[in-house]
Amino acid sequence: MKKLTKDQKYYRKQKKDGLKDFRQTTREDGSKGVRVTRKTINVSISTRAFERLIELSKICELTRWQMLTRIILTQLPRYASLSGSSSPTERYSWDESLLNPSDQKIRYKGTEGERQVTYQITSTAYNKLECHKNAVALSKARIIQSLILNYEPMTKEQLEKQKTYINESRKAHQKKIAGQSLATTGKAPKFIERGGTIIHVKGIPPEGWDDEEFDEFLTMQQSS
């Protein structure tokens, strides 16, 4: 049997790791936790879209894979629900008819992209993209290119206004529902709804949420 190279071993390890959306891990203090896994995406996009992704990552002060993960998670529709499982690594139930369809008719881009991008995005973003690809019958490359070119990050002024709104709304919101929330979960809510949009009370972006925050966000989405 041919001996695998270091890169091939790493790729196989990452591929195996990404078979589940979440994996148990041990924190520095020795306590048990859960981390989101990552899956590799490899698509060709236009130079314009590639340069826009670089620009967005600089504006938002994120790596390119984090920027792409944020765009996918926030701009595509919801295709998952809470699983109801007691297992910490089985948090979501994905629409299997879209995640693993029996019949696929995908429309690919008319021309090949000039830039090949290969990133390890979170498995939740990967699954969401896979479901959307099959729901709209468009290739991942076409979807990603369109998402990048149409994504508009908040300006500094908008971010400051959001922070001010969050600070002003947080106390009022928590007074209203904290009693019920603390009585049932022992924890204060981490999200509020503003103009039909659910936002983190501390302004933490999706790629920075832990598993409990994703659960709370998804629960609010389902009840809204």
Side-chain angles (χ1 to χ4, degrees):
M1 183 181 292
K2 186 178 179 181
K3 188 176 181 179
L4 297 176
T5 65
K6 183 178 180 180
D7 288 341
Q8 288 173 325
K9 288 180 180 179
Y10 176 79
Y11 174 76
R12 285 197 176 186
K13 181 180 179 181
Q14 291 299 109
K15 188 175 181 180
K16 183 179 179 180
D17 186 64
L19 291 176
K20 284 190 175 183
D21 291 345
F22 296 91
R23 293 282 185 182
Q24 288 187 320
T25 186
T26 302
R27 301 188 181 99
E28 291 183 1
D29 61 3
S31 62
K32 296 295 182 180
V34 177
R35 64 175 175 82
V36 65
T37 61
R38 290 162 64 184
K39 290 184 178 180
T40 302
I41 187 169
N42 191 336
V43 296
S44 295
I45 59 177
S46 68
T47 298
R48 178 166 164 251
F50 181 73
E51 291 176 348
R52 177 59 176 164
L53 179 61
I54 294 175
E55 180 185 8
L56 288 170
S57 66
K58 290 179 179 178
I59 292 173
C60 298
E61 299 181 345
L62 299 170
T63 63
R64 294 174 198 173
W65 78 263
Q66 288 174 325
M67 189 70 244
L68 186 56
T69 291
R70 175 186 290 192
I71 292 172
I72 292 170
L73 287 175
T74 59
Q75 302 305 303
L76 292 183
R78 177 170 56 87
Y79 293 105
S81 59
L82 293 175
S83 68
S85 172
S86 59
S87 172
T89 60
E90 296 178 12
R91 313 203 69 85
Y92 305 129
S93 292
W94 293 92
D95 187 334
E96 284 297 321
S97 66
L98 293 176
L99 189 60
N100 298 298
S102 56
D103 183 29
Q104 298 184 35
K105 295 180 180 179
I106 307 300
R107 286 179 289 158
Y108 292 93
K109 296 205 314 289
T111 57
E112 285 223 8
E114 300 93 344
R115 302 302 297 262
Q116 191 79 13
V117 294
T118 303
Y119 298 125
Q120 284 188 316
I121 60 176
T122 64
S123 56
T124 45
Y126 183 96
N127 288 343
K128 197 172 190 180
L129 179 62
E130 186 71 24
C131 287
H132 190 68
K133 177 195 75 173
N134 294 313
V136 299
L138 294 174
S139 69
K140 290 179 182 177
R142 186 189 288 267
I143 294 168
I144 287 175
Q145 181 168 293
S146 176
L147 287 176
I148 293 172
L149 291 175
N150 289 287
Y151 183 78
E152 288 295 336
M154 286 188 179
T155 63
K156 289 183 178 180
E157 290 76 14
Q158 288 173 323
L159 284 171
E160 286 303 317
K161 286 183 179 179
Q162 184 188 67
K163 288 179 181 179
T164 300
Y165 177 86
I166 289 173
N167 290 332
E168 292 175 349
S169 302
R170 189 178 181 183
K171 290 183 180 180
H173 178 77
Q174 288 184 343
K175 282 182 180 179
K176 182 179 179 181
I177 67 172
Q180 179 182 358
S181 178
L182 289 170
T184 56
T185 67
K187 297 178 181 179
K190 294 184 178 180
F191 293 87
I192 58 176
E193 186 173 346
R194 178 191 182 192
T197 300
I198 301 170
I199 56 178
H200 198 288
V201 293
K202 293 184 179 180
I204 299 174
E207 63 274 5
W209 298 345
D210 59 26
D211 54 302
E212 290 184 357
E213 287 169 317
F214 268 113
D215 287 351
E216 185 178 334
F217 174 77
L218 197 58
T219 299
M220 285 190 68
Q221 269 194 326
Q222 291 174 318
S223 60
S224 61

